[in-house]
């Protein structure tokens, strides 16, 4: 059975000769990889690899040589660029076989096998810094020009079935062979090479418990073969679809979406606290129809216990998820919490015994024993990871594992990877070395930092500052548009990460922009609900939002503007703290709150009564809140002197009224920016340091006060004013 390009139903055929034929051989490989990685049914995020053996001129000899270009360690097929591919001299690579064979003890999981990974660097062509992956020998030792190794759901379903070898034969006949599960490495490459020697007509192999590998001497033919094999497998599986009987039928049903959301808003901060006692985690909620069908099913408890199969999947999902047998139709929310607490305690004990039973003398120390995937009937799947990107990947992988189980249970009986094999991947010394090579986590890694007022001025500068420290940043502002704009700037700088999962806002990246009116409690509540849904909780809140109402020409502001000033600068800051407190208390994790007050809080002067007294109240609010929120949350104040640069609080009329107040001469014809500079220079001359105060100066202190660098400081107001003697607190 072969397919024409328009006959594929289970994969997207995306090859376009018009694009491919304009590319050089390496770029064709990049192109093929990108279009394969685009379709989740072909491979998961970060999973699989591709290669081409390309004739190139050796810069040393000037001779034509064969170069193996193969997707390197890390990276992702969908988003790969040329830089993600390693390049190796084929002859040098093949010579490694002699080194391998000389070893007295060789084979899967031997020392020589692991040491081969370092040898690949000696075979590098063209000073390419991309590191070769452990799958390199699978590509190098297969004697065909192009090789695709994918993790398609339909192929893993066959590979994770009890009678996988027979199924392979039944579905593919003689064109695809089968190799049993074996940890990837040099030995697996030799096993495959041997298979091809025995049957030179083979076009591919189902890799037990793992995936698919296939090859061709033409790159487009290789691409089409990959699609054809996946299509065949998916077509076969479709014929056995069990419909309503899938996973043994439904035991529970899901409440409507808004009820589910309400449960999650209540649940997520508590759950985040429970799984974050060792390391803070960021959550992703995934509740597609397919996930709900699984968590609500009769067979979910049994299947969840079997764990995932593809090594790529379970490196993120851990050996198994935590399934909580809660009845959404009859049991209360409190019962859910109780069951989660018990379930988590049991999971940790179980994980420790798995570690103890499977560890080797040289195994790395046990890692965080908390689950990364939690399944709740009626609600869905909640994944946890050290970043949003990681938790999205984890959610994606388990939802793919659900599809694997669905298919495998339709055609046979699903089986997970044996425990010891799973352990030997999870605690593989090569994986550990990879983790050790990663740069140390940044100050705000694993944290959700909410910046209110992030649309402009100090808030925007602060959002940028904390994002640099690895924070997940919620940019909130009374102007939703400017909040979104700041969030987009952060994503443009720091990237959205990988992983395709997450329902609604939970599928977000490392920054989101939301509108909020802090003078309105409902609006603040709605803001925090969105944040909980997006990330699972909060860690640090920084309020820079404030209002300054310019007095009229006589230096007065009307009574209603007094109310507005207090509603935002004092009561608004309190409402934010009060609503955030509920989340901090539910999480039981330490946090910090920074309120932006003003030097005007301490310096009495003419013409800004409402603003100055509101900021004096805010200073005392910092102290009162530091007491109210202790010991969980530190509360400090940032007291800026006027930052004229780029501040939305300095529209032209305020600049003008200040210039008049201070007798600084100016012309009405001057630009606003020029007037701002005049005012900034005037202010600087009044300070001890004689230098204008910038947004970056304010952002730095907002960041520091929020961070653990100030972990022993609470109830304090720090002036960032260039040094104003009259603003010294006493
Ligand atoms: Zn693989």
């Amino acid at each position: 059975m072969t397919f024409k390009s328009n006959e594929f139903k289970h994969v997207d055929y995306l090859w376009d000769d018009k694009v491919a034929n304009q590319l050089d051989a390496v770029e064709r490989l990049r192109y093929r990889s990108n279009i394969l990685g685009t379709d989740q049914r072909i491979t998961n995020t970060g999973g699989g690899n591709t290669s081409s053996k390309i004739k190139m001129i050796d810069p040393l000899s000037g001779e034509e040589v064969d170069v193996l270009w193969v997707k390197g360690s890390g990276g992702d097929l969908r988003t790969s660029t040329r830089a993600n591919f390693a390049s190796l001299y084929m002859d040098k690579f093949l010579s490694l076989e002699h080194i391998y064979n000389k070893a007295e003890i060789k084979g899967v999981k031997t020392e020589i096998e692991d040491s081969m990974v370092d040898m690949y660097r000696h075979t590098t062509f063209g000073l390419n810094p991309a590191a070769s992956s452990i799958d390199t020998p699978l590509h190098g030792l297969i004697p065909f020009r192009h090789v695709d190794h994918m993790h398609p759901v339909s192929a893993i379903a066959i590979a994770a079935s009890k009678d996988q070898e027979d199924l392979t034969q039944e579905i593919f006949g003689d064109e695809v062979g089968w190799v049993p599960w074996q940890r990837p490495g040099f030995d697996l490459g030799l096993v495959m090479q041997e298979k091809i020697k025995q049957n030179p007509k083979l076009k591919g192999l189902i890799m037990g418990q793992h995936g698919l590998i296939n090859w061709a001497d033409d790159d487009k033919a290789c691409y089409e073969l990959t699609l054809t094999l996946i299509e065949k497998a998916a077509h076969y599986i479709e014929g056995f679809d069990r419909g309503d009987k899938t996973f043994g039928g439904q035991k529970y049903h899901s409440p409507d979406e808004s009820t589910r959301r309400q449960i999650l808003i209540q649940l997520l901060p508590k759950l985040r606290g429970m799984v974050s006692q060792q390391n803070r985690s960021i959550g992703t909620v995934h509740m597609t129809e397919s996930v709900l069908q699984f968590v609500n099913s009769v067979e979910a408890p049994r299947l969840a216990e079997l764990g995932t199969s593809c090594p790529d999947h379970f490196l993120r999902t851990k050996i198994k998820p935590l399934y909580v047998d809660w009845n959404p139709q009859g049991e209360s929310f409190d019962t859910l919490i109780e069951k989660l607490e018990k379930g988590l305690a049991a999971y940790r004990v179980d994980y420790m015994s798995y570690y103890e039973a499977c560890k080797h003398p040289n195994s790395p120390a046990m890692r965080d024993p908390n689950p990364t995937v939690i399944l709740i009937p009626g609600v869905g799947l909640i994944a946890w990871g050290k970043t949003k990107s990681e938790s999205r990947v984890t959610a994606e992988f388990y939802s793919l594992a659900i599809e694997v189980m669905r298919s495998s249970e339709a055609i046979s009986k699903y089986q997970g990877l044996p425990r010891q094999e799973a352990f030997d991947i999870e605690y593989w010394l090569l994986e550990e070395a990879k983790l050790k090579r990663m740069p140390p986590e940044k100050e705000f890694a694993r944290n959700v930092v909410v910046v209110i007022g992030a649309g402009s001025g100090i808030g925007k500068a602060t959002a940028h500052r904390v994002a640099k420290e690895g924070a997940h940043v919620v940019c909130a502002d009374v102007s939703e548009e400017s909040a979104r704009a700041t969030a987009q700037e952060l994503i443009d700088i720091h990237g959205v990460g990988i992983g395709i999962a997450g329902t609604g806002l939970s599928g977000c990246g490392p920054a989101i922009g939301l509108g909020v009116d802090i003078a309105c409690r409902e609006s603040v509540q709605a803001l925090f609900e969105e944040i909980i849904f997006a990330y699972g909780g909060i860690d640090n809140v920084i309020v820079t939002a404030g209002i300054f109402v310019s007095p009229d020409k006589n230096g007065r502001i009307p009574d209603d503007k007094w109310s507005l000033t207090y509603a935002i600068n004092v009561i608004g800051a309190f409402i934010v703290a009060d609503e955030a407190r509920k989340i901090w208390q539910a999480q039981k994790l330490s946090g910090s709150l920074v309120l932006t007050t003003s030097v005007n809080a301490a310096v009495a002067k003419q013409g800004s009564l409402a603003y100055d007294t509101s900021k004096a109240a805010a200073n005392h609010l910092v102290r009162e809140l530091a007491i109210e929120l202790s010991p969980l949350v530190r509360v400090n104040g940032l007291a800026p002197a006027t930052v004229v640069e780029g501040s939305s609080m300095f529209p032209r009329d305020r600049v003008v009224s200040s210039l008049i107040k201070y007798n600084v001469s100016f012309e009405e014809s001057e630009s606003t920016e020029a007037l701002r500079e005049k005012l900034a220079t005037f202010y600087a001359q009044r300070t001890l340091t004689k230098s204008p105060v910038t947004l970056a100066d304010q952002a730095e202190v907002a960041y520091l006060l929020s961070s653990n660098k100030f972990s022993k400081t609470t109830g304090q107001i720090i002036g960032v004013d260039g040094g104003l003697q009259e603003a010294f607190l006493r």
Side-chain angles (χ1 to χ4, degrees):
M1 186 163 42
T2 51
F3 303 89
K4 292 206 183 75
S5 62
N6 59 356
E7 286 173 355
F8 290 100
K9 283 199 327 203
H10 299 275
V11 282
D12 293 329
Y13 183 97
L14 297 173
W15 187 280
D16 184 348
D17 277 331
K18 283 204 284 297
V19 178
N21 293 345
Q22 286 177 11
L23 305 172
D24 71 26
V26 179
E27 280 297 312
R28 281 174 77 98
L29 171 63
R30 191 267 312 151
Y31 172 68
R32 182 172 111 225
S33 309
N34 291 165
I35 58 177
L36 286 167
T38 299
D39 188 343
Q40 252 194 309
R41 297 164 300 180
I42 294 176
T43 205
N44 56 289
T45 294
N49 27 63
T50 46
S51 67
S52 292
K53 298 174 185 85
I54 297 170
K55 294 218 180 295
M56 299 189 115
I57 299 297
D58 183 357
L60 293 179
S61 67
E63 306 274 309
E64 194 178 64
V65 289
D66 239 354
V67 180
L68 170 65
W69 283 83
V70 55
K71 204 209 92 179
S73 185
D76 172 56
L77 287 180
R78 176 169 55 92
T79 54
S80 274
T81 62
R82 197 181 180 112
N84 292 103
F85 291 86
S87 50
L88 298 77
Y89 285 97
M90 263 309 279
D91 56 348
K92 289 186 188 177
F93 171 79
L94 289 173
S95 73
L96 295 178
E97 203 178 328
H98 302 297
I99 296 178
Y100 180 78
N101 282 331
K102 267 196 305 205
E104 251 174 60
I105 305 169
K106 54 180 178 281
V108 65
K109 296 188 201 168
T110 54
E111 222 179 298
I112 181 75
E113 188 178 64
D114 277 6
S115 71
M116 295 307 278
V117 176
D118 276 341
M119 298 300 290
Y120 303 148
R121 279 193 292 167
H122 294 289
T123 72
T124 301
F125 171 87
L127 306 176
N128 184 347
S132 298
S133 84
I134 47 166
D135 285 346
T136 303
L138 276 51
H139 294 265
L141 294 173
I142 287 176
F144 288 84
R145 307 294 297 175
H146 306 278
V147 179
D148 289 343
H149 162 51
M150 300 290 126
H151 297 161
V153 163
S154 60
I156 305 174
I158 297 164
S161 286
K162 206 165 145 261
D163 41 3
Q164 44 187 278
E165 191 175 5
D166 293 344
L167 281 167
T168 304
Q169 170 72 29
E170 187 179 334
I171 297 167
F172 301 108
D174 291 334
E175 66 178 357
V176 175
W178 174 84
V179 287
W181 159 256
Q182 177 174 332
R183 195 169 78 176
F186 208 80
D187 198 72
L188 183 57
L190 291 172
V191 167
M192 292 178 168
Q193 196 186 48
E194 185 56 32
K195 275 270 173 191
I196 297 169
K197 256 186 216 149
Q198 285 166 13
N199 179 4
K201 289 205 178 107
L202 273 186
K203 292 178 179 171
L205 290 163
I206 288 284
M207 301 160 68
Q209 306 296 134
H210 184 160
L212 173 70
I213 190 163
N214 51 268
W215 48 81
D217 279 331
D218 173 79
D219 57 355
K220 186 180 172 185
C222 187
Y223 172 79
E224 291 183 339
L225 176 65
T226 303
L227 264 59
T228 301
L229 297 178
I230 298 169
E231 181 74 23
K232 267 189 192 176
H235 179 78
Y236 176 86
I237 291 164
E238 197 180 30
F240 292 86
D241 186 72
R242 300 182 64 203
D244 289 352
K245 298 273 176 343
T246 299
F247 305 131
Q250 298 286 282
K251 186 170 164 192
Y252 305 116
H253 61 86
S254 298
D256 63 44
E257 210 180 313
S258 76
T259 312
R260 252 184 358 241
R261 191 180 148 90
Q262 277 318 306
I263 295 172
L264 280 162
I265 301 296
Q266 259 189 297
L267 172 67
L268 286 168
K270 281 187 195 293
L271 188 52
R272 179 170 188 242
M274 291 181 210
V275 299
S276 295
Q277 293 304 329
Q278 272 191 19
N279 298 299
R280 281 175 202 236
S281 292
I282 306 295
T284 291
V285 175
H286 198 57
M287 32 187 202
T288 57
E289 281 303 312
S290 150
V291 165
L292 291 171
Q293 188 191 24
F294 181 74
V295 295
N296 291 337
S297 73
V298 173
E299 301 272 24
R302 175 181 70 84
L303 290 168
E305 194 59 28
L306 294 177
T308 51
S309 177
C310 179
D312 244 30
H313 291 178
F314 81 74
L315 268 177
R316 298 297 181 131
T317 63
K318 283 227 165 106
I319 176 137
K320 63 178 181 186
L322 169 64
Y323 168 84
V324 187
D325 195 359
W326 176 67
N327 178 357
Q329 270 69 60
E331 291 181 312
S332 68
F333 180 77
D334 289 344
T335 308
L336 172 59
I337 296 298
E338 239 170 71
K339 287 190 168 182
L340 271 166
E341 271 165 354
K342 273 195 200 139
L344 282 165
Y347 187 98
R348 291 182 201 118
V349 170
D350 219 25
Y351 187 84
M352 281 183 241
S353 60
Y354 150 76
Y355 178 83
E356 287 302 325
C358 300
K359 72 172 178 192
H360 305 285
N362 60 350
S363 288
M366 191 182 82
R367 306 206 181 101
D368 193 330
N370 282 295
T372 57
V373 175
I374 295 170
L375 305 170
I376 306 172
V379 179
L381 179 164
I382 302 153
W384 299 98
K386 68 172 188 288
T387 61
K388 185 68 197 176
S389 175
E390 188 177 293
S391 77
R392 279 202 324 264
V393 171
T394 303
E396 176 194 329
F397 287 7
Y398 201 78
S399 71
L400 289 174
I402 288 173
E403 294 313 308
V404 166
M405 290 186 275
R406 172 198 309 283
S407 304
S408 174
E409 289 278 305
I411 54 175
S412 174
K413 207 94 210 115
Y414 172 77
Q415 55 185 27
L417 201 63
R419 229 159 63 124
Q420 187 65 53
E421 290 300 320
F423 181 90
D424 290 345
I425 292 266
E426 190 178 352
Y427 285 92
W428 196 350
L429 293 174
L430 290 178
E431 285 291 339
E432 176 75 1
K434 227 198 265 180
L435 293 176
K436 288 231 166 90
R437 278 198 303 270
M438 298 207 328
E441 285 186 6
K442 292 181 179 167
E443 181 72 29
F444 276 141
R446 302 173 176 274
N447 279 34
V448 177
V449 182
V450 184
V451 182
I452 299 182
S456 62
I458 296 174
K460 183 171 173 165
T462 301
H464 276 269
R465 185 65 189 87
V466 295
K468 241 191 195 167
E469 298 302 322
H472 299 82
V473 190
V474 178
C475 304
D477 200 283
V478 68
S479 155
E480 186 175 342
E481 198 188 332
S482 57
R484 282 170 182 268
T486 303
Q488 193 54 51
E489 286 173 19
L490 301 184
I491 288 172
D492 290 345
I493 295 169
H494 301 283
V496 75
I498 57 171
I500 310 160
T503 299
L505 196 58
S506 203
C508 68
I512 52 173
L514 297 167
V516 67
D517 171 7
I518 60 170
C520 167
R521 189 175 281 272
E522 287 74 32
S523 174
V524 175
Q525 279 169 346
L527 170 76
F528 281 116
E529 287 186 4
E530 298 273 33
I531 297 169
I532 288 170
F533 196 76
Y535 296 114
I538 59 168
D539 299 286
N540 318 88
V541 177
I542 301 169
V543 183
T544 64
I547 188 169
F548 178 91
V549 178
S550 296
D552 65 17
K553 290 234 163 81
N554 303 317
R556 292 186 61 82
I557 70 165
D559 293 353
D560 62 331
K561 292 292 187 320
W562 269 84
S563 301
L564 181 68
T565 301
Y566 272 70
I568 293 172
N569 293 353
V570 187
I571 305 171
F574 168 72
I575 290 173
V576 168
D578 200 38
E579 290 299 322
R581 162 173 41 193
K582 295 174 191 167
I583 304 172
W584 278 314
Q585 283 176 345
Q587 292 179 152
K588 299 194 182 108
L589 298 171
S590 64
S592 70
L593 171 66
V594 172
L595 300 183
T596 307
T597 69
S598 169
V599 286
N600 290 22
V603 184
K605 56 185 171 38
Q606 215 168 5
S608 46
L609 254 77
Y611 181 78
D612 295 357
T613 55
S614 75
K615 289 299 185 178
N619 266 8
H620 207 56
L621 181 64
V622 165
R623 302 176 190 114
E624 301 261 348
L625 284 173
I627 295 164
E628 294 272 327
L629 300 185
S630 79
L632 214 50
V633 180
R634 293 183 300 107
V635 185
N636 290 292
L638 162 69
T642 324
V643 183
V644 187
E645 167 204 3
S647 170
S648 68
M649 285 171 59
F650 270 84
R652 189 178 177 93
D653 61 341
R654 184 177 173 195
V655 177
V656 167
S657 83
S658 296
L659 289 171
I660 294 172
K661 186 165 76 182
Y662 299 121
N663 284 322
V664 181
S665 62
F666 68 98
E667 300 291 329
E668 276 294 348
S669 60
E670 287 181 79
S671 72
T672 306
E673 216 28 67
L675 295 183
R676 277 190 179 138
E677 209 171 307
K678 261 190 180 158
L679 189 58
T681 310
F682 170 79
Y683 283 142
Q685 284 318 305
R686 300 190 304 183
T687 67
L688 297 173
T689 61
K690 305 284 180 216
S691 48
V693 184
T694 65
L695 293 175
D697 296 328
Q698 306 299 339
E700 192 64 23
V701 175
Y703 147 63
L704 287 169
L705 285 174
S706 302
S707 76
N708 280 334
K709 292 186 195 293
F710 271 64
S711 65
K712 305 296 155 57
T713 300
T714 188
Q716 300 302 313
I717 316 290
I718 306 293
V720 183
D721 51 18
L724 280 176
Q725 197 176 333
E726 62 272 38
F728 288 173
L729 294 179
R730 70 209 87 153

